Amino acid sequence: MKELVVISGKGGTGKTSLMAAFATLAENEVLCDADVDAADLHLLMNPEIKERHDFQGGGTAVIQSDRCTACGLCRDLCRWNAISESFKVDPIECEGCGVCVDFCPEEAIDFPIKTCGEWFISNTRFGPMVHARLGIAEENSGKLVTLVRQEAKKLAEKNKLDLMITDGPPGVGCPVIASVGGASAVLIVAEPTVSGLHDMSRVAQLAAHFKVPGMVCVNKFDLNPDQTEAIENLAKENHITVVGRIPFDPVFTESMVKGQTVLEYVGNSKIRSSISEIWLNVKYQMGL
Ligand code: SF4
Ligand code: SF4
């Protein structure tokens, strides 16, 4: 089973629309929405939920003063300076890493588990899909990304599906790191702007760090052909394969409003041929 993760340096590049278009073209695939902080693949896939599960994550540390001997070890170990001189944990500063809990010699720190969101297994018109919803203002999205990818892999194995297409989170933070490790390939969707070039470079470095083969395509390339060329040149210098360009077209937004993938919405058009060409190149690069 191979996994393609579609990522971008920031939100709003057309990453989810492109991933959904691939779902239209692929066969024998499981879909995974790992963009758990801003999940919107379900708007295009209209999933029929078959299973619903709670996502439980570690909360914040709580020091029990009756057991605490004020040795200070937890304050020394906390990288986020979340523990006060009077050994109280600031719940806003606490990142929930659990280090103080593990090392407290008196076992004086509790770490209550709480429900931070939900994850789902659903059927869609393109095959099964694993997706999630993180509670409002909840953290731990990296853990939830790992969980949905693991569950999608299990589903692919159970159903003997040989491809997993994952809508990854944007950026280069913890959630995207959790979505890239162990993938067969990543496709970076870039926009032809100065910041798009910078974003692409950061995501490309991340993929290289995890030794995951990278590909790039430029969406709305015709809005700035010079920046498109700069992105493609930078990609080539970094051994990232350029798999194609997509012209600007409002059909991306129109199809989203209709709840359809862009390839379900358009007839024969430049959009269809450019996305189909990118998909063929991606398949070739992944040996599909
Ligand atoms: S490590 Fe444990 S015993 Fe030491 S100060 Fe922190 S909570 Fe108290
Ligand atoms: S769980 Fe981590 S972040 Fe929170 S107080 Fe303990 S060491 Fe600091």
Side-chain angles (χ1 to χ4, degrees):
M1 201 273 297
K2 295 193 173 173
E3 181 189 10
L4 170 70
V5 182
V6 184
I7 56 175
S8 59
K10 69 169 184 67
T13 60
K15 167 180 68 65
T16 301
S17 294
L18 187 60
M19 183 273 183
F22 289 164
T24 319
L25 295 169
E27 287 165 8
N28 221 22
E29 81 271 25
V30 62
L31 307 175
C32 175
D33 188 357
D35 188 358
V36 298
D37 282 304
D40 55 7
L41 187 62
H42 63 280
L43 300 174
L44 297 173
M45 295 296 152
N46 193 21
E48 184 193 342
I49 293 175
K50 292 289 174 192
E51 287 183 32
R52 181 187 289 264
H53 303 268
D54 284 343
F55 165 60
Q56 306 216 297
T60 50
V62 180
I63 295 176
Q64 300 300 339
S65 53
D66 53 333
R67 304 206 296 269
C68 171
T69 58
C71 72
L73 183 61
C74 56
R75 269 174 57 81
D76 293 344
L77 291 176
C78 180
R79 286 175 53 201
W80 284 274
N81 295 323
I83 302 173
S84 71
E85 284 180 14
S86 56
F87 302 106
K88 295 265 181 293
V89 177
D90 180 340
I92 307 287
E93 297 297 326
C94 175
E95 286 286 319
C97 69
V99 166
C100 60
V101 183
D102 289 342
F103 285 91
C104 171
E106 306 300 328
E107 297 185 2
I109 308 179
D110 292 341
F111 200 48
I113 298 294
K114 60 175 180 172
T115 299
C116 306
E118 287 181 297
W119 64 274
F120 315 94
I121 296 179
S122 298
N123 284 342
T124 76
R125 59 197 182 283
F126 303 112
M129 169 169 152
V130 179
H131 50 124
R133 183 167 43 215
L134 198 62
I136 293 165
E138 290 294 355
E139 309 233 343
N140 288 313
S141 55
K143 279 188 190 165
L144 186 52
V145 168
T146 303
L147 189 145
V148 291
R149 283 182 71 211
Q150 281 169 347
E151 293 299 329
K153 268 182 202 153
K154 281 191 212 162
L155 195 61
E157 278 158 18
K158 189 172 143 205
N159 292 298
K160 300 196 173 20
L161 302 171
D162 50 22
L163 176 64
M164 178 168 148
I165 311 179
T166 299
D167 185 12
V172 286
C174 179
V176 78
I177 289 169
S179 77
V180 167
S184 313
V186 297
L187 172 64
I188 303 162
V189 183
E191 272 187 348
T193 59
V194 174
S195 64
L197 180 74
H198 177 67
D199 291 342
M200 197 282 287
S201 148
R202 292 191 313 155
V203 206
Q205 283 169 11
L206 188 74
H209 175 80
F210 284 98
K211 298 190 170 45
V212 177
M215 297 172 271
V216 68
C217 69
V218 183
N219 192 15
K220 307 175 194 167
F221 81 90
D222 45 347
L223 295 186
N224 193 335
D226 290 345
Q227 279 301 330
T228 295
E229 223 165 279
I231 287 173
E232 292 177 347
N233 288 339
L234 183 74
K236 285 172 198 158
E237 283 163 23
N238 287 280
H239 311 290
I240 304 271
T241 309
V242 178
V243 288
R245 298 172 165 190
I246 305 168
F248 171 76
D249 198 315
V251 290
F252 271 95
T253 313
E254 290 164 20
S255 62
M256 226 172 202
V257 172
K258 296 266 183 209
Q260 295 179 329
T261 73
V262 69
L263 294 188
E264 289 176 301
Y265 183 72
V266 293
N268 283 332
S269 69
K270 277 190 184 166
I271 289 290
R272 177 174 291 281
S273 56
S274 59
I275 292 177
S276 301
E277 188 187 325
I278 290 170
W279 178 240
L280 282 178
N281 287 335
V282 167
K283 282 201 333 182
Y284 178 76
Q285 293 296 326
M286 293 182 69
L288 295 171

